[in-house]
Amino acid sequence: MSRPEVRAGALKVLKDTLYGLYLDAGGPRLSDIATAMNENEDLPGLRSTDTIGRILSEPTFPQNGLDVKAVAGALAILGGGDSQEQQARIWQLWQEAGKDPRPGFVMAGPDDPRGHFTARSQGYQGRVQGSDRFRGRQAALEAVTGWLQQDQPPGRPLVITGQPGAGKSAVLTRVALDLEKTTRVPGAAVHARGLTCDTLVECVAVAAGINDSVSASELHDILKTDPGVPSRLVVALDALDEAAEGQVPRIASLLADLARLPRLRVAVATRPLTAGDRYRPETLLHQLRVTGPDSDNLVDLDTPGYLDPDGLRQFIVAILTDETTGRPSPYQAQPEVADRLAEVIAGRASSNHQQPGSNYLVAALNAAGATSHDKVLDPAVPGFDVAQIPATVDEAITKYTDGLGARKQVVMGLLTTLAYAAGSGLDQDRWLGFATALGYPVDAVAFDTLLDSPGADYLLSTTSSDGSVHYRLFHQALTDDLLARRRERGLYQRDQQRITGSLLPQSAGFPASAQDWSDIDDYTRHYLPDHAAAGGTLDRLMADPGFLLACQPERILHHRGTLSGEPRAAAAALEAAATEDWPSWSHDQRAWWLHVWARRMRAHPLADTLITGHSSWPWHADTAIRPGITVPGQQIESVNAVAVFAGADGRTRIVTGCHGALVRVWDAETGTLLHKLVGHNGAVRAVAVFAGADGRTQIVSAGDDVSAVPEWAGGTGRHASVLVWDAETGTLLQELTGHYYGVWAVAVFAGAAGPTRIVSAGRDALVRVWDAETGTALLELADHPWGAVAVAVFAEADGQPRIVSADGVGSVRVWDAETGTALQELTDRPDTEVEKAMAVAVFAGADGQTRIVSGGRYEDSVQVWDAETGALLYELTGHAYGATAVAVWAGADGRARLVSGDGRGSLRVWDPEARTLLYELTGHNHPVNAVAMFTEVHGRTRLVSASADGWVMVWARVP
């Protein structure tokens, strides 16, 4: 990682100090820094390698000071320093940097964006190697400068375009750096190669002095209305056409929107990226609000008004006679010959034989090639053949390689290989590895041969923080030409397949196991998905969990449009699992969430492979059901209630109640919807099941629906209904009316005389008991003035049924289910009632005594009570945001088991009598509203959880 280039000031002090800590720590990997942060929970900030990388390597102001403190603290730990001292020091520097008006331009882009702007502004394709070579282009410079400095808001971006090599970057970067030097107007100067829209947003926000993280729409609103941002802001973006795949339209749209703002002046350099009419709707130029060749916001360097043959000639002379490069040139002592040769080279330089005398790239290649020979080319010498001067990039490459003799195949192979490089390029080992994979007979000697030849002029090299040098071709036009040759020969896809194979872990095949991927490098992590997609093998890698867990999710998902079937389902699972926390998670955490989402997205082979590879998981996701369908307004339909029963065919059924007023019945194994029960007109809050008098399973459901037909109109007045259904057919059997407000809980039990009873708890402060067969109301229990929200039932040792009810405010009560007598009120202290109890359950203790379990919305523990005395026995602690759901069952050892869910979406499985937490399951990202369990015919235990995130998960216990 290289030191960020920042202008003098408080921000530079901050960045230099951070980079010093990085070097003191030995230049650790970003993942090592994230690990140090994870292992020290007192460190604030986001544990994201992307965030860490931006803080350390980008020249922009880091927007979150807590993130910066965390990185500093982690680096101090890794370097053996005082973490607290460095955090305090960095925090002070960050605050000072935030106050700095930061004059000048904020730079963003790959590798070294300021170096890119500096080199291109001086006429170099790679790094600056000598004196300033920029010549001419006065009309273009004046047009761009005038646009960015005009007082009246233009309302559109200025677009500098032209053929590859026309000098777009040189003009834009020249103007941007000149404005930075000569004015106090702040700005964002961006090299868009590999850029995402989010990075551009961040850069512009920092340039405007916005220290908070903002979205594109928020940035637009702040720049439009906030008087605290600068009155004038320049945005200069180079190489829009080289932005990350799929990002060009997004960035163009953002630039067009920003340019509409009165305080913004925007200029962008880009190739048109369109054949034929490049101004028609949906094209890039049209998106940038260029409507035709005469648009006043267009600087087309290929048009007569901006062509500068004399400037091109002077540029060539500057290359031929430059004495500051350290490379002797025979033309330095013969300026007249240099002038004559420059005239010929300028006249020849074109793009595909179009517009001769206009291509700076071809001219530079020819001039650089001429300086590498001792023999002087003088057009005045009789017999001079002008055709020997290449006219295009393709001809320049051919002429160069033809002059290599026996070295041609090797050098051409290395250049062709480098055309496939992604990102900042390839180091020597990877470059040679790719070339070998493509079938070129290369070695270190061949590599040195290229670097010692004029072919080195085709390369751009950067040095990373570990001292390794990475190479890529210095201009996109070279890459395009070399890859076009491979496509013409039908070799492009084959090449990408071979490169993909060379990047796979040595022991990996298709598919490979997860552990094979533990040591892949950053290049593989970032760019293997791109090479695999180009080679047509990405679908095969999608079956490999190791690939999905190790490589960058964004790069994989960028290509999901090429996938179908199981690979596409795997991509959907990855997209859902890879939240902003993904980079900081351990391998096991990523695998867990990926398997959860694989179940949800029906990528079952992927889920099964993950489960097989993680035998240490005591539970795993077995089935995922989505009753909570997205409804209009993009709101997720909360799943409020769940129950289970065995169908007539012996297969387990799951019953769900949702906010959308529906009761649904599902096959627990396949997740198939069997019945949709329509009858409620409000959110369904509770469901239960029981065996009817005829032995058939029935469902009882209740919720927020209320009917209010006046008695004078033939109605029964205001009432809420409890509905009873045939579970196999979905037929409505009964409607129990008597509550006046919504009913939030139901339960069933066998009465003392045998008939089944239904208990319902309502927000009308009533708990009612009904005869399940006749629908007759038997009892009305009315000691919950704030409404009853939870019920459970149990039988005493003598068989007498009892009801437990809770109101969610502060009262849990025990009742005689036959007489309605209040027997007990639970309280843990004489002066305090139960804290917001929202869920209740019961189990038999080892001593034969009944225990009551309660969980509260605002109570982060599960409370266990003695049902007879009402005494609080103990609490099971550890939940976050309340214990919102509870259920009990008997374990294989005969001991009670308890499962509880919380407001964070996690589940905990307990041995309640041992007061021991057995397992914690994560799989929801919203509160758990209900839990249940069942045992299959072969004895395996399943847990069912329902959540406000719209999902029902079935969890299988590993034998």
Side-chain angles (χ1 to χ4, degrees), residues 257-463:
D257 288 342
L258 292 177
R260 290 188 178 96
L261 301 176
R263 68 185 75 200
L264 267 291
R265 304 294 184 267
V266 179
V268 54
T270 181
R271 288 186 290 177
L273 295 183
T274 305
D277 181 6
R278 56 187 185 177
Y279 308 107
R280 67 180 185 275
E282 309 304 326
T283 63
L284 176 58
L285 294 186
H286 191 275
Q287 191 174 9
L288 292 168
R289 305 189 69 189
V290 177
T291 57
D294 297 325
S295 292
D296 64 353
N297 65 324
L298 176 66
V299 173
D300 187 344
L301 298 179
D302 295 331
T303 57
Y306 294 109
L307 288 176
D308 186 359
D310 187 59
L312 178 59
R313 183 190 61 78
Q314 293 179 39
F315 168 69
I316 298 168
V317 169
I319 297 175
L320 291 173
T321 61
D322 194 346
E323 299 179 352
T324 63
T325 63
R327 180 186 298 171
S329 166
Y331 301 94
Q332 292 169 359
Q334 303 183 62
E336 299 84 358
V337 177
D339 283 338
R340 289 194 293 269
L341 181 59
E343 193 74 36
V344 174
I345 292 175
R348 293 281 292 170
S350 68
S351 175
N352 297 322
H353 297 285
Q354 299 175 1
Q355 199 77 46
S358 63
N359 195 288
Y360 280 72
L361 172 61
V362 175
L365 291 174
N366 284 329
T371 62
S372 65
H373 300 290
D374 294 333
K375 181 181 178 181
V376 173
L377 293 176
D378 188 351
V381 174
F384 178 84
D385 183 5
V386 71
Q388 67 181 301
I389 305 298
T392 66
V393 171
D394 182 73
E395 290 180 10
I397 294 175
T398 300
K399 179 178 177 61
Y400 161 65
T401 55
D402 285 346
L404 295 173
R407 298 177 298 167
K408 176 179 178 179
Q409 182 181 9
V410 170
V411 174
M412 192 64 182
L414 285 170
L415 291 176
T416 299
T417 299
L418 200 57
Y420 287 103
S424 60
L426 308 176
D427 61 24
Q428 178 180 344
D429 290 341
R430 172 134 292 150
W431 189 357
L432 294 177
F434 277 15
T436 300
L438 296 183
Y440 295 112
V442 298
D443 53 21
V445 175
F447 179 81
D448 292 338
T449 298
L450 173 59
L451 294 187
D452 291 337
S453 74
D457 291 331
Y458 289 68
L459 308 179
L460 177 65
S461 63
T462 56
T463 303

Side-chain angles (χ1 to χ4, degrees), residues 840-855:
V840 291
V842 294
F843 69 91
D847 58 2
Q849 299 299 307
T850 301
R851 307 286 187 252
I852 297 174
V853 180
S854 65

Side-chain angles (χ1 to χ4, degrees), residues 117-118 215 457 464 515:
F117 269 73
T118 301
S215 66
D457 291 331
S464 64
Q515 60 266 28

Side-chain angles (χ1 to χ4, degrees), residues 438-491:
L438 296 183
Y440 295 112
V442 298
D443 53 21
V445 175
F447 179 81
D448 292 338
T449 298
L450 173 59
L451 294 187
D452 291 337
S453 74
D457 291 331
Y458 289 68
L459 308 179
L460 177 65
S461 63
T462 56
T463 303
S464 64
S465 59
D466 62 5
S468 62
V469 180
H470 292 75
Y471 301 90
R472 58 182 173 88
L473 296 174
F474 73 76
H475 200 286
Q476 187 64 35
L478 293 173
T479 298
D480 294 344
D481 183 86
L482 290 168
L483 293 183
R485 298 181 182 207
R486 303 302 282 178
R487 289 189 175 93
E488 289 171 2
R489 297 176 59 189
L491 298 176

Side-chain angles (χ1 to χ4, degrees), residues 64-285:
N64 190 318
L66 294 179
D67 292 343
V68 181
K69 281 184 66 176
V71 171
L75 289 173
I77 292 170
L78 293 173
D82 187 323
S83 177
Q84 294 298 326
E85 178 182 337
Q86 294 301 336
Q87 287 186 65
R89 177 188 180 199
I90 288 295
W91 178 254
Q92 183 177 359
L93 293 177
W94 179 82
Q95 290 179 313
E96 290 300 320
K99 300 174 185 177
D100 191 344
R102 293 184 300 284
F105 287 2
V106 175
M107 298 280 181
D111 306 325
D112 177 13
R114 183 167 289 278
H116 168 82
F117 269 73
T118 301
R120 293 303 174 94
S121 71
Q122 295 186 29
Y124 291 88
Q125 298 296 333
R127 61 185 175 85
V128 175
Q129 300 175 0
S131 59
D132 188 351
R133 296 174 173 177
F134 190 96
R135 300 290 188 275
R137 291 292 195 192
Q138 195 60 36
L141 293 175
E142 290 177 358
V144 178
T145 301
W147 186 274
L148 294 178
Q149 288 192 306
Q150 62 181 302
D151 293 329
Q152 292 300 315
R156 290 159 296 156
L158 179 71
V159 180
I160 304 106
T161 193
Q163 61 181 302
K168 303 178 291 295
S169 295
V171 170
L172 178 64
T173 57
R174 187 86 174 183
V175 171
L177 293 185
D178 184 64
L179 290 178
E180 183 185 41
K181 294 175 184 177
T182 59
T183 72
R184 300 291 293 176
V185 175
V190 182
H191 179 202
R193 186 173 189 270
L195 186 78
T196 65
C197 191
D198 291 340
T199 304
L200 174 60
V201 168
E202 181 178 2
C203 182
V204 175
V206 173
I210 302 169
N211 293 330
D212 296 326
S213 179
V214 294
S215 66
S217 60
E218 290 169 338
L219 173 66
H220 182 277
D221 292 343
I222 293 173
L223 293 176
K224 181 179 181 180
T225 61
D226 192 335
V229 299
S231 59
R232 180 73 58 82
L233 184 68
V234 169
V235 177
L237 185 137
D238 184 34
L240 171 59
D241 50 293
E242 297 178 27
E245 291 187 56
Q247 294 292 308
V248 172
R250 290 187 61 198
I251 295 173
S253 177
L254 175 61
L255 292 172
D257 288 342
L258 292 177
R260 290 188 178 96
L261 301 176
R263 68 185 75 200
L264 267 291
R265 304 294 184 267
V266 179
V268 54
T270 181
R271 288 186 290 177
L273 295 183
T274 305
D277 181 6
R278 56 187 185 177
Y279 308 107
R280 67 180 185 275
E282 309 304 326
T283 63
L284 176 58
L285 294 186

